[in-house]
Every structure is written in C-alpha cells, then in structure tokens.
Amino acid sequence: MTVRHQPMIDEWYPVALASQLPPGGRATQLMGTPVLVVADDPIRVVTDDGRDLPVTLRYGHVWTSLGQPAKQLFDIPEADQPGRRLIEVGVVRVRCSPLRAVENFLDIAHFPFVHTDILGAEPHTEVGKYDVEIREKEDEVWATKVQFYQPQAAKSATGGITTDYMYRVPAPTSSVLYKTCPARPGEWDVITLFVQPLQEDLCDVWPWMALFDDETATTDLIHFQQMIFLQDRSILENQIPRLLPLDPGREIPTRADLTSVAYRRWLKRHQFTYGAQLVAQ
Amino acid sequence: MILYDYILSPDAYKVRLLAALVGVKLELRAVDVHPGREHQSEPLRALNPAGSIPILIDGDLILTESAAMLVYLARRAAAEWLGGDDAVDAARVQQWLAFSRRLTEHLGGARATEMLLEPGDLPAMQRASTIDLRELEAALSERRILGQSHLAADRPTIADIACFPYVALAPDGGVSLDPYPSIRLWMRAIRMLPGFIEMPGIHRLHDLKPEPVSPAMPETV
C-alpha cells in the first residue's frame, strides 16, 4: 500500500462482531491487507506475517488498525446510557467505495425514492435548510437541525411524523446518526454505520444501533435496519465513478448535499483518500 | 396462516408476494436468520428439520417448500394463478416450479456468498446462474414471439412468482441482468401487477411512470 494512504492506515476500523466470532476466527482483510481476527481471550487481530495489531472492543465490534492510531476510538456516550437496547445488525458486503457507503448514509434526499413509504414518501421530497459544520475541537463533521417527513421513521413509529436528525462523522468510514426517538420524546435514537474498508471499491458494512424501545422484538429491529440498508445496497453498487470524487468538477452538489460537501472537504483536509478519486476526470 | 419469515429471504418474499397479489392475510413471524442463525435453532428445526426459511403453518398443515406454499395459497384463494388445466400447461407450471430450485441454489447461493459472506464457491455458482438465466431468457423470448408475457400461460401464474425473486436479485450475487432483455420485460410485467409488493433490492415501479404528455407539445414533434 502506498504511503499516501498513511492517514487512513492509522485509523480504527471494525473487523468483526465480538459476539459472532466463530471458534476458528474470522479471516478478512483491511485496506487490501489480509488479517485474521483470532477468537482468543482476549480477542487478537494478526496479519499474515504474524504482526499483532492494536485491538479495541467497543459497540459490539472488534476494532483494529494497520497503523498507529493517534487517538482512541471515537466515543459514543449514548452507548453507555442505561435503558438503551444495543442492537447488532450483522455484516453486509457491498461492492462500493467505503467512503461512498458513508456518504450515502449522510444523505436524506434519496429517502422518498429508495426507502419509499418508510423513510420518505412522494410528494414530501424537499430537504429543508439545515446546519453543517466541521467541529474543530472534536475534529468531526456534524449536520444538525435536519428535518424530514417520514411515513414510518422507526420500527416503533405507528404513523407519519416529521423526524429530527443529526449526523456525525467521527472517523473516515464511520458515521453516527441521531434521530427522533418515537418511544421517548426528548431523547435521540442512535443508529451507526461502521464500514470496514476491504479494498478501495469493496467494503463490509456493520450497522449498529442504541435505541430506546421496550416493545419491539430484537429480530424486528434488526430486520428493519437490514431492510433499509439492503434498499441502499443496489444503489451503492451502481454509483459512477466507483471512487468518491474529492475534487469538484465531476459532480454538482445542491443545497441538500451540504453534509456530503463537508464530509468530502474533511476527508481531503486529512488526506483520507483510500476509496477516493482525487483528480476530476 | 402463519409465515416464518425473513425480510431478506427471496423464498419468503415469494410467499408474501403471492399472498399480497391474491389477497390472503399472513401472520408474519420474523426469524433472525442473519446474523442470529435462528432458523437453525432447536425450536425451528422441530418445525422444519431442514433448518430453512420460510415455513408456512395453517392449522395442522406445515409446509417448508416455497413452491408448495404457492400452490396452497393459489388453490385456497385464486385458482387462476395455478395456470391452465390441460396436460401441457399443468406440466409447464411444474417445470418452472422445479426450475426455481436451481435458481435458489445458484443465484441464491451466489447472493448469500457475495452479500452475506456465507461460505460457497462463488465463481461456480455464478457460472451455473448464467446457464439458468440463458434458459429463462430463451423461454421468455419464445413466449414473447407468441404474444405472451408470462412463463406458463397467457396470464401470470405461480411459475412466474416462483422464478421472479432470485432472478430480480441476481445483481446482489454479482450476476448482471443486462444481457437479458426478455427477462427484464418480464420482470417489469410482474412489477406492474396490481397489489405488487417490494423487498429490499427489488424496487417498485415509480421510477418508470410514463412521461407526461403535454397537449401543447405532442410526442410526435
């Protein structure tokens, strides 16, 4: 791997669900490098040449890095909040850039067309004005005051509601979404997308949730999220160009794409370019 | 009628789809297939020793093969979905129901391996899928020349429903449908059926509504 990907090599990535690790371990890869997640106690991650990689167990997943992370894995304080149910959704492989998987997660405008009658519905297609910033202290991308009309915002929603959203990108291939919690007004449901970059145009996606919902069966919560993500998958696999363009020229963003614009700018600032296209073609 | 269901299972979707098309209400029981592997748990193996999904229960009747479920739903609610009565039509429906097992094995296997990381020989399943799709394309082209849009009759039957889901989801397993125009037209005909329901990866037809025609600018201009 070339040195130009060093900033992303030094980041944390999910490589397995700790609860689903088979006795023989999980042979997988990270940014083109084969790694084995070993089901020892404690869990280890090793490379083919026997190098032990750093390991963090958090949010149900095994996290590792091929390099030397300068920071600990990002914090999601809600994960430790009493009363939340932590839902492991499992893995889905997608033939797309890991950065495209995150960018799609940040987009609201596609809801009525891809998640029809669930996360959006025609004619309620307008994305209202919302705020986007790159928070310097946390070094994260945040979108706030996002609102959207949704026929069935969550498994626990019984009718259409206007849902409030916040989006957060704390790492190049991870995103955290906060949305109106139908079961407990005043709190936010937390839905995350943890993306494991296998290659520049191939990734394993591990959705995970921390919800207030005392009624819905766990299986139904998993299936709701799998349904949403599998609706996205066929779109993601057909996006062109396959790598995410970081230079202007190839794609023309609209106001609804402000989160994506900030995400791309933040990626470029940090040289997080694994899965990105740098020169407009 | 109780259906042990999984939102991502094309075989379970066949049953939900036909039930929606013929107006039968199903009581759905969600099974945590991925990642939980609940379909292979003791309670579900007691219902279906094969450890597969879907399972349909109606009173004392327990069905574990989706083709049998389609026959049962059609016979109960809308017999025209069984196709014609003569020897050729009846056999043709059975031929496609049996053929759909090959689709489950090949296209379904490729999809499970490519998308959900199940073990399997992906290139071999993709090659076998291509042979299946070519056979289906040839049959549908022949039907089209005869002026018919569906597999086994001059109307949709359970044969179409049995074959449709795995074919429509072929791209999930890395198998393109671009080379098969007759298959694509046939899929569109199925998606146009009144009462059609979608599953993740199979979108509804709202992207294909006809262009509005303005009286001031006729289409022929």
Side-chain angles (χ1 to χ4, degrees), chain B residues 139-206:
Chain B
L140 284 165
S141 299
E142 199 171 296
R143 304 291 296 176
R144 256 182 344 111
I145 291 164
L146 297 172
Q148 302 194 350
S149 307
H150 299 92
L151 273 172
D154 58 358
R155 52 152 294 122
T157 66
I158 55 174
D160 299 291
I161 303 304
C163 294
F164 168 73
Y166 281 106
V167 171
L169 294 168
D172 278 352
V175 178
S176 171
L177 292 172
D178 290 355
Y180 310 112
S182 294
I183 288 178
R184 294 204 309 278
L185 284 170
W186 167 74
M187 291 194 306
R188 179 167 180 170
I190 293 171
R191 291 160 74 208
M192 285 169 69
L193 293 171
F196 177 84
I197 56 168
E198 60 219 320
M199 75 165 274
I202 301 178
H203 299 273
R204 70 178 75 177
L205 266 182
H206 61 165

Side-chain angles (χ1 to χ4, degrees), chain A residues 91 93 95 117 223 226, chain B residues 6 31 34 114-115 204:
Chain A
V91 65
R93 178 158 298 174
R95 293 212 165 267
D117 294 344
H223 288 186
Q226 287 183 351
Chain B
Y6 177 41
V31 178
H34 176 80
E114 172 76 354
M115 188 172 88
R204 70 178 75 177

Side-chain angles (χ1 to χ4, degrees), chain B residues 22-97:
Chain B
V22 302
V24 170
K25 182 117 183 66
L26 295 173
E27 188 183 329
L28 300 180
R29 300 266 169 88
V31 178
D32 181 10
V33 172
H34 176 80
R37 306 202 73 77
E38 187 190 354
H39 56 306
Q40 303 194 334
S41 67
E42 280 304 313
L44 283 181
R45 275 196 190 273
L47 286 174
N48 177 12
S52 64
I53 286 294
I55 305 168
L56 185 73
I57 299 184
D58 194 19
D60 291 337
L61 181 70
I62 301 178
L63 298 175
T64 60
E65 294 292 337
S66 59
M69 298 174 204
L70 298 181
V71 170
Y72 184 65
L73 286 176
R75 180 78 69 184
R76 285 290 301 265
E80 66 274 19
W81 282 84
L82 295 167
D85 271 339
D86 69 47
V88 171
D89 284 359
R92 196 176 269 144
V93 168
Q94 291 301 319
Q95 171 75 17
W96 289 115
L97 291 183

